[in-house]
Amino acid sequence: MTRLRTIDVPVAASPYRVVIGENILADLGDVVDLPAGVTRALVVTQDRIAQAGYVDTVERALSSAGIDIARHVVPDGEQAKDVAVLHDVWRAAAGHALSRRDVIVAVGGGVVGDLAGFAAATYNRGIGVLHVPTTLLAQVDAAIGGKTGINLPEGKNLVGAFHQPLAVLCDVAVLRTLDERTLTEGFGEIVKYGFIADEAVLDRLESAPADGKRDAALLIDLVHRSVAVKAAVVAADEREVGARAFLNFGHTVGHAIETLTGYGTILHGEAVAIGMVAALKIGVAMDVTPAPLVDRAQSLLGSLGLPVRPPSLPREAMWQIMARDKKADANGVRFVVLEALGDPTLLTPHRALVDAVLDELATA
């Protein structure tokens, strides 16, 4: 077993550990502390994850720890984050007779984690959830922090709960089987951490060889650094009432793009990449953000294969969605912008300024 890296997430009411390494799925029972009294687990996953063999490995590890396993497969893609699918997960949990001591195990990407986490938060008034994220995006973002939820036609993640996991197991070996686009979108969130908190992330990406995105040592380091940033922010602001909003750098425009194009047409990390460039240019237009940060972002994101320009979308519809953004208040839509590298802040730009930035990006 490879040397492990661990990060503790010291959330006051429910601290937990994130374990990062290579080829560690089979050692789940040894590297993760399972709760006392657990006898049953419902493994929630998707067909494509199961076909890769990862679910079998996780289930064998749990069975070796004396846990009775049932598997529930949900649809692929964002359509799984739906109330009807959630209802089926509840029924599966009840069918396997999960008690409050038992656990739901999410094996998959962010969609599986969000759905299974919400099911765990609400089934039997709350049971434990263990996250085994199988995409880069989920390892650095979705599986960390306890945010769970499902989508509505009106917007992404509009129904959900805060429910911290028992633990998170990030095995970078599973990323080898990801297609190029799915792997690449995870770098959108990684770049975000570099801009809001840890410049070393940007330096590592800029110095990495063009064909090095699947290098295990690089991935372990980037996952570790990204999780460290998110863990520190979540521990200080579990319920997103203050500094945790900075983790949404790029998400205001990004979520609107995802919603209007249909979930999955433009992937989350791709939408965040576009949203970060927009936010940086908004900051520059407000005389807050140093202009060279825009060039650095566009260059790095482009080199990673991520988009930097928004698609043509109805502007009024975008504003309706952005007005429902969690950072919006009575004064309007607030954006996370940078006063300097690693120094995010929240500002409320005039609509005309935002529209001008989006127009400029769309026609560049």
Side-chain angles (χ1 to χ4, degrees):
M1 181 174 64
T2 185
R3 185 172 66 87
L4 300 179
R5 295 198 191 185
T6 61
I7 295 174
D8 291 321
V9 186
V11 178
S14 51
Y16 57 96
R17 176 163 290 180
V18 180
V19 182
I20 305 160
E22 184 184 15
N23 296 315
I24 59 176
L25 287 189
D27 303 298
L28 185 151
D30 297 322
V31 300
V32 170
D33 292 327
L34 297 171
V38 59
T39 59
R40 293 185 178 89
L42 178 69
V43 176
V44 178
T45 191
Q46 294 170 317
D47 265 333
R48 57 189 173 82
I49 307 301
Q51 290 170 9
Y54 305 134
V55 182
D56 292 337
T57 303
V58 169
E59 289 178 346
R60 283 195 296 270
L62 291 168
S63 295
S64 296
I67 297 172
D68 184 18
I69 305 299
R71 182 187 299 185
H72 182 72
V73 177
V74 301
D76 287 338
E78 284 279 343
Q79 61 265 33
K81 290 174 61 173
D82 180 82
V83 67
V85 180
L86 175 65
H87 177 266
D88 290 342
V89 178
W90 287 328
R91 292 290 302 276
H96 194 47
L98 295 190
S99 72
R100 287 187 179 176
R101 295 189 304 273
D102 295 324
V103 298
I104 290 177
V105 183
V107 185
V111 166
V112 171
D114 284 353
L115 174 70
F118 191 29
T122 47
Y123 178 77
N124 229 336
R125 297 186 176 89
I127 65 173
V129 62
L130 170 64
H131 286 304
V132 184
T134 60
T135 66
L136 182 58
L137 184 71
Q139 290 187 2
V140 301
D141 182 51
I144 317 298
K147 287 170 70 172
T148 71
I150 58 174
N151 300 330
L152 297 178
E154 291 79 8
K156 188 172 181 178
N157 298 327
L158 288 182
V159 181
F162 287 96
H163 188 62
Q164 299 297 340
L166 299 168
V168 181
L169 184 71
C170 297
D171 187 342
V172 301
V174 307
L175 306 179
R176 294 193 190 108
T177 58
L178 293 179
D179 64 84
E180 188 67 16
R181 187 182 179 195
T182 303
L183 176 71
T184 296
E185 74 151 329
F187 286 95
E189 288 285 356
I190 292 173
V191 169
K192 176 195 75 176
Y193 292 120
F195 273 101
I196 67 171
D198 184 2
E199 186 178 6
V201 167
L202 306 181
D203 294 337
R204 288 282 278 137
L205 286 170
E206 288 166 339
S207 62
D211 59 351
K213 286 193 290 187
R214 295 181 186 270
D215 178 75
L218 175 66
L219 289 169
I220 288 173
D221 185 50
L222 291 173
V223 172
H224 183 264
R225 287 182 176 278
S226 298
V227 171
V229 173
K230 186 160 189 180
V233 175
V234 167
D237 181 19
E238 180 184 2
R239 299 280 171 164
E240 201 168 26
V241 296
R244 187 166 176 173
F246 297 150
L247 294 174
N248 290 304
F249 176 53
H251 287 59
T252 303
V253 168
H255 277 167
I257 290 172
E258 284 184 88
T259 301
L260 289 176
T261 57
Y263 301 123
T265 302
I266 293 179
L267 301 180
H268 177 72
E270 295 170 341
V272 168
I274 297 167
M276 284 190 289
V277 173
L280 289 168
K281 290 184 76 70
I282 288 168
V284 171
M286 298 179 74
D287 294 323
V288 172
T289 301
L293 292 185
V294 176
D295 296 333
R296 188 174 188 183
Q298 290 181 313
S299 176
L300 177 55
L301 292 168
S303 72
L304 290 167
L306 288 161
V308 296
R309 295 187 181 90
S312 178
L313 295 169
R315 195 57 53 78
E316 187 61 37
M318 285 193 70
W319 277 100
Q320 288 176 3
I321 293 167
M322 290 191 294
R324 292 194 291 267
D325 186 272
K326 61 181 72 69
K327 299 180 298 302
D329 60 18
N331 296 316
V333 177
R334 296 189 298 168
F335 285 75
V336 180
V337 301
L338 299 186
E339 294 188 277
L341 189 62
D343 188 12
T345 190
L346 282 167
L347 293 177
T348 308
H350 294 298
R351 175 169 174 168
L353 184 149
V354 175
D355 285 343
V357 166
L358 294 176
D359 288 341
E360 178 188 352
L361 279 173
T363 57

